[in-house]
Amino acid sequence: MKRIKALLSVRFVVILLVLAMSTACGLISVPWIRSATMNNVVNIGDSIFALSGKIHSNLTTLAGKSFRNYCVSGSYLSGSSILTSNSVAVQYATARNDNSNIKTIVADGGGNEVLIPAKLF
């Protein structure tokens, strides 16, 4: 009986830590860039790199021009969670709303659907 209670306690602590980290990640992502020199190139997705904006800044440096960025760390591919409502589908819809002349999409991430449920269950 003690073993079952200990296992449940550990699972509860792990769930709380995952939720806390995911919430923090979503809250401290770099701000969206909704207008740029190349408005037809859009960066969407979910990644740990959305926290620092390194993917976007490196690509901007390499291209020599800026482009729009809608990444939010902790996002799901579609739908929402208690952590964020900025899914990749919402990011794309927002990008099309801002300027529908999208020619290229740079996307990253996608591990939340695989990793978070595996850790919770």
Side-chain angles (χ1 to χ4, degrees), residues 43-87:
N43 187 11
I44 60 174
D46 143 61
S47 178
I48 190 70
F49 301 108
L51 294 173
S52 65
K54 286 293 184 189
I55 289 176
H56 182 77
S57 64
N58 288 342
L59 291 175
T60 299
T61 300
L62 291 170
K65 296 180 180 180
S66 64
F67 50 89
R68 297 185 288 154
N69 182 22
Y70 296 87
C71 290
V72 176
S73 184
S75 295
Y76 287 96
L77 292 176
S78 65
S80 63
S81 69
I82 60 171
L83 306 175
T84 180
S85 62
N86 290 324
S87 67

Side-chain angles (χ1 to χ4, degrees), residues 10 29 33 38 55 57 71 102 119:
V10 169
S29 294
I33 299 171
M38 292 183 64
I55 289 176
S57 64
C71 290
I102 298 173
K119 290 188 184 247

Side-chain angles (χ1 to χ4, degrees), residues 1 12 27 32 34 38 45 47 49 56 95 112:
M1 188 64 155
F12 181 72
L27 295 175
W32 285 359
R34 299 177 83 153
M38 292 183 64
S47 178
F49 301 108
H56 182 77
N112 286 335

Side-chain angles (χ1 to χ4, degrees), residues 5-28:
K5 286 183 180 181
L7 183 61
L8 289 174
S9 296
V10 169
R11 185 174 287 177
F12 181 72
V13 169
V14 169
I15 289 171
L16 284 178
L17 287 173
V18 168
L19 289 174
M21 289 186 319
S22 298
T23 302
C25 291
L27 295 175
I28 58 176

